[in-house]
Amino acid sequence: MLQQSTVEPICIPLSFDEIVREIHNFTDLPEQEVRHRVWMEAMNVGWNVLQDVPVFQVKPHHFDDKMSQLYRESYGFIFETLVFWVSPSRQKWIESALNRIHLYAKNQNLKPEQVKILMLGDGTGNDSLFLVKNGFKIDYFDFPGSKTSDFTTKRFASYGLLKKFVNIITDYNLCLSQQYDVILSFEVLEHLTDPPTAIREISSMLKSNGIALITESFSKVRPNLPTHLAANSKYDGLTACMFLKYNMMLSWYERSTRGRPMEFSKLGRTSVLSVVQLFQDKTIRESYFRAITRNFKQNCKQVLKRILGKNRV
């Protein structure tokens, strides 16, 4: 059951005009330009970010200083994330997460405002606004100093949420102290240069028995998604095992949306029994063996190329 918060009415933009108004209000972009860019994003997913790829001389699917600059200075991510959030499948993710957070609060005998939540990489903040609207307080962390982060800070301020309902974290290291009941991180891992380290750090952020609600797109290395790193495709199908390595057991996942989101519960320690329990799930078991087979074939191809290359020399 959804619980209403005591904050002023929050507008989470769902219509074309609402998205345009929100971007125009909290950026310095002209309204006509915003209208055009929202329309193009709606017609072509990722259109706005793709327009900035040549401007910043980014090599798609490979992280370097130029891609870092893209994250800081591009407005494209604002358009991409706000338009994507409108889709019913995307809204299903946060609705499922909300239900799991309510269940966690009930099991831990906590009121919604007592659940300590970190929104890790929430971009334009729609998921954060959704949770605040339903009675929760949150910590928010995203790329500090970026156009997206500035936009989101202005949104939170306009609704009077800062400090009372939303705490913006600017120093990532402040999160690493086993303080959170819940961490929510949607579509972040595939953008990172070292997902295993990020998962280990998520574990270090959680209290004992805390939960992480995660989605990832390791498999989606597509032309219209240039910031999904090609090097991370090897992790496709291995997410549950990667989390288990750092004492987080897959405790639930949304089957209707193919594991978006997945819920990981922090364990005291990982045991052989934990591994057996994980692999009792047929979907997890099959995805694991597909991943191992795929990566083995890829490694064999790379070794063969090196051998043939040396022989040519």
Side-chain angles (χ1 to χ4, degrees), residues 12-291:
I12 305 178
L14 295 175
S15 71
F16 176 85
D17 286 335
E18 287 171 344
I19 294 172
V20 170
R21 183 168 59 248
E22 201 84 347
I23 297 176
H24 177 59
N25 284 346
F26 304 125
T27 68
D28 56 4
L29 298 175
E31 183 176 355
Q32 283 306 113
E33 178 184 342
V34 172
R35 285 189 171 274
H36 171 69
R37 293 178 68 169
V38 171
W39 177 259
M40 293 304 296
E41 188 67 39
M43 295 297 99
N44 306 276
V45 175
W47 184 86
N48 280 275
V49 174
L50 281 174
Q51 302 311 299
D52 283 342
V53 164
V55 174
F56 291 95
Q57 299 180 323
V58 168
K59 182 179 180 181
H61 313 301
H62 297 271
F63 189 87
D64 56 18
D65 290 343
K66 292 178 180 178
M67 186 172 285
S68 179
Q69 184 183 10
L70 177 75
Y71 279 119
R72 289 194 308 271
E73 300 179 17
S74 172
Y75 286 103
F77 299 101
I78 298 173
F79 291 89
E80 181 177 284
T81 54
L82 286 182
V83 172
F84 178 44
W85 200 88
V86 173
S87 66
S89 60
R90 176 61 179 83
Q91 290 184 48
K92 175 69 173 176
W93 300 357
I94 189 59
E95 290 167 359
S96 296
L98 176 64
N99 290 334
R100 298 304 298 181
I101 296 171
H102 272 300
L103 180 61
Y104 174 87
K106 180 181 178 181
N107 291 340
Q108 299 296 319
N109 197 27
L110 297 172
K111 296 177 181 178
E113 64 271 18
Q114 294 176 314
V115 180
K116 193 164 178 59
I117 301 174
L118 174 64
M119 307 297 287
L120 190 58
D122 188 27
T124 46
N126 271 3
D127 290 332
S128 295
L129 292 174
F130 186 86
L131 291 184
V132 170
K133 193 171 184 177
N134 283 282
F136 295 93
K137 297 179 181 180
I138 62 105
D139 284 0
Y140 167 97
F141 179 84
D142 206 290
F143 209 113
S146 65
K147 297 290 187 185
T148 304
S149 180
D150 291 346
F151 167 84
T152 308
T153 300
K154 291 175 182 176
R155 293 184 83 193
F156 292 155
S158 75
Y159 292 116
L161 303 179
L162 293 180
K163 296 185 179 179
K164 188 175 182 181
F165 296 95
V166 175
N167 177 38
I168 295 179
I169 305 293
T170 56
D171 183 353
Y172 179 77
N173 291 323
L174 295 177
C175 303
L176 305 174
S177 59
Q178 299 185 21
Q179 60 182 299
Y180 291 104
D181 296 293
V182 177
I183 294 173
L184 188 149
S185 188
F186 287 173
E187 305 298 272
V188 172
L189 293 174
E190 65 273 13
H191 297 268
L192 305 179
T193 56
D194 190 357
T197 294
I199 292 170
R200 184 193 66 196
E201 291 173 348
I202 288 173
S203 181
S204 74
M205 297 171 185
L206 282 173
K207 296 177 181 177
S208 179
N209 299 319
I211 61 172
L213 292 156
I214 305 292
T215 73
E216 47 81 0
S217 294
F218 289 134
S219 64
K220 294 184 178 180
V221 183
R222 300 174 181 171
N224 66 326
L225 299 171
T227 56
H228 289 201
L229 302 186
N232 289 338
S233 61
K234 63 179 175 288
Y235 300 122
D236 181 30
L238 299 176
T239 304
C241 297
M242 293 163 69
F243 273 84
L244 185 59
K245 180 179 179 181
Y246 296 107
N247 301 325
M248 288 179 285
M249 168 63 79
L250 180 66
S251 48
W252 171 88
Y253 61 93
E254 182 58 74
R255 294 179 184 273
S256 65
T257 51
R258 298 182 181 181
R260 289 185 165 87
M262 296 173 281
E263 177 188 274
F264 297 94
S265 298
K266 186 169 180 179
L267 308 172
R269 65 183 183 87
T270 300
S271 65
V272 173
L273 183 61
S274 304
V275 177
V276 172
Q277 182 181 342
L278 178 65
F279 278 85
Q280 286 177 341
D281 186 300
K282 181 180 178 182
T283 300
I284 299 300
R285 188 169 63 248
E286 290 179 348
S287 65
Y288 172 81
F289 284 111
R290 280 197 301 270

